[in-house]
Amino acid sequence: MATSKAQPPLITVLGSLNMDLVSYVPHHPLPGETLTSSRFAVSPGGKGANQAVACAKLSRSQPSHPTSTNETPTARIRMLGAVGQDTYGEQLKSNLSSFGVDISGVIAPPSLKTGLAIIIVDEPTGQNRIVLSPEANHSLQASQFSTPSSLGDPLPDLLIMQLEIPLPTVLAALRVARDAGVKVLLNPAPAQELPAEAYEGLAHLVVNETEASILGGVAESDLDTESGLEAVGQTFLKRGVQNLIITLGGRGVYYVSADGKKGLVPAEKAKVVDTTAAGDTFVGRYALDVVSGNFNIEDAVRKANRAAAKTVERLGAQDSIPWRDEL
């Protein structure tokens, strides 16, 4: 299908690229409250770009590692998306390239600004709140993804998408991938209702508790028990999903597959500093197992869980994602 046997598998990420403006505060502000942050950072982000970087970094050792010079990455990573013709856009593309991501599919439409994310991190807990300004990300139109060639040449072994670009665009790419025989991993964040066609034959669906609740049509409290998780899991399997992952924060990760495998993997112990990009790290590590040629859902979840735990112990988004040799 996508790649020659002489080359590592190809993962294509279609999604958002944002510049993150991050403030670290003693607590999340109450309505009408003004806080002074303890520190501020500007760093590359966006769920699409974060997941591309996660795939890239977790597929190889860090450049300073003794084996990195003659090491072959376990996967090739390609990014499809849009930035503005501005300094932030150039920084985002340069950062992706520095991690070995192919950015030939990242466009920069004239007169548009690069997407921004305003992130407030509660320092005592590491929990964040995020406000997105999509800007150029919303210039990606469904009409641009009407043929297999829109996914790049060669076709990828796996297409990863999120919902920080327009939903019609995601659905169009889903249809093209399905018709071309390309497996899709969908991480529907931020959550919004999806049509039935989105689930039909979907290889991998990765959601958190909130997303599982919204998309599964159940109260979030229903997911407090394993029986509740199994019930919502069956809902997604009946819709056509082949592998479902529900990340549960400190409770761990629940998984269920159409071939009968299921389980609840405990959370890894970690000193939480900043949860930004933890979910994206999980997706990246999981995706590498998907294209490895020896996919086992439980093993994939455990490895992804371990990688995400490393991410939350560090500040930032892409900088906090570990390299393969750090796990």
Side-chain angles (χ1 to χ4, degrees):
M1 174 183 57
T3 56
S4 70
K5 292 182 180 179
Q7 293 180 305
L10 173 63
I11 297 174
T12 292
V13 182
L14 168 58
S16 59
L17 299 96
N18 298 320
M19 191 59 77
D20 291 347
L21 310 181
V22 190
S23 293
Y24 296 87
V25 295
H27 62 266
H28 286 132
L30 301 172
E33 181 181 16
T34 299
L35 290 176
T36 299
S37 66
S38 61
R39 57 185 179 276
F40 174 77
V42 179
S43 61
K47 291 193 71 64
N50 289 349
Q51 291 176 13
V53 169
C55 290
K57 292 178 75 173
L58 290 163
S59 70
R60 67 198 75 194
S61 299
Q62 54 191 317
S64 60
H65 195 273
T67 65
S68 63
T69 53
N70 53 14
E71 176 188 51
T72 300
T74 59
R76 295 173 294 147
I77 317 301
R78 180 169 60 205
M79 181 81 213
L80 304 180
V83 296
Q85 291 189 359
D86 51 29
T87 302
Y88 283 160
E90 289 302 317
Q91 288 176 352
L92 283 164
K93 291 192 293 182
S94 175
N95 197 64
L96 284 168
S97 293
S98 73
F99 294 121
V101 177
D102 176 358
I103 60 167
S104 60
V106 178
I107 61 174
S111 76
L112 292 181
K113 298 177 181 178
T114 297
L116 293 174
I118 309 300
I119 303 176
I120 300 175
V121 179
D122 174 24
E123 286 192 293
T125 65
Q127 296 299 313
N128 60 35
R129 292 183 180 178
I130 303 173
V131 179
L132 290 175
S133 296
E135 305 294 340
N137 291 304
H138 274 195
S139 70
L140 296 171
Q141 300 299 308
S143 59
Q144 296 169 246
F145 296 91
S146 58
T147 64
S149 62
S150 62
L151 301 181
D153 182 23
L155 285 172
D157 296 280
L158 179 69
L159 174 65
I160 301 176
M161 293 188 289
Q162 322 76 33
L163 299 183
E164 288 185 351
I165 61 175
L167 179 58
T169 304
V170 173
L171 296 176
L174 268 171
R175 286 190 290 269
V176 167
R178 184 184 297 122
D179 293 344
V182 174
K183 291 182 179 180
V184 174
L185 187 161
L186 180 62
N187 175 217
Q192 56 182 294
E193 292 291 340
L194 298 175
E197 67 166 306
Y199 301 103
E200 295 170 3
L202 181 62
H204 304 274
L205 180 66
V206 181
V207 294
N208 63 21
E209 286 175 282
T210 301
E211 294 148 7
S213 168
I214 293 171
L215 300 178
V218 299
E220 200 163 325
S221 59
D222 290 354
L223 306 179
D224 290 343
T225 64
E226 194 161 347
S227 61
L229 291 167
E230 289 181 7
V232 77
Q234 290 304 312
T235 296
F236 286 112
L237 293 184
K238 289 175 182 176
R239 293 177 184 175
V241 175
Q242 296 171 14
N243 296 279
L244 171 71
I245 308 296
I246 305 177
T247 59
L248 303 166
R251 293 170 54 207
V253 182
Y254 177 77
Y255 67 88
V256 62
S257 64
D259 62 6
K261 297 185 178 70
K262 62 181 179 180
L264 182 60
V265 175
E268 294 276 331
K269 291 183 178 180
K271 183 179 180 181
V272 179
V273 173
D274 183 355
T275 59
T276 306
D280 299 327
T281 302
F282 184 99
V283 167
R285 177 58 258 191
Y286 179 89
L288 291 171
D289 263 47
V290 169
V291 300
S292 68
N294 188 31
F295 176 68
N296 176 288
I297 188 169
E298 181 179 355
D299 289 347
V301 167
R302 291 187 182 279
K303 292 175 186 176
N305 214 16
R306 196 173 307 125
K310 193 78 171 178
T311 295
V312 302
E313 294 182 330
R314 302 168 170 178
L315 296 176
Q318 295 172 14
D319 289 342
S320 70
I321 298 169
W323 296 86
R324 184 173 68 181
D325 60 290
E326 293 184 281
L327 298 177

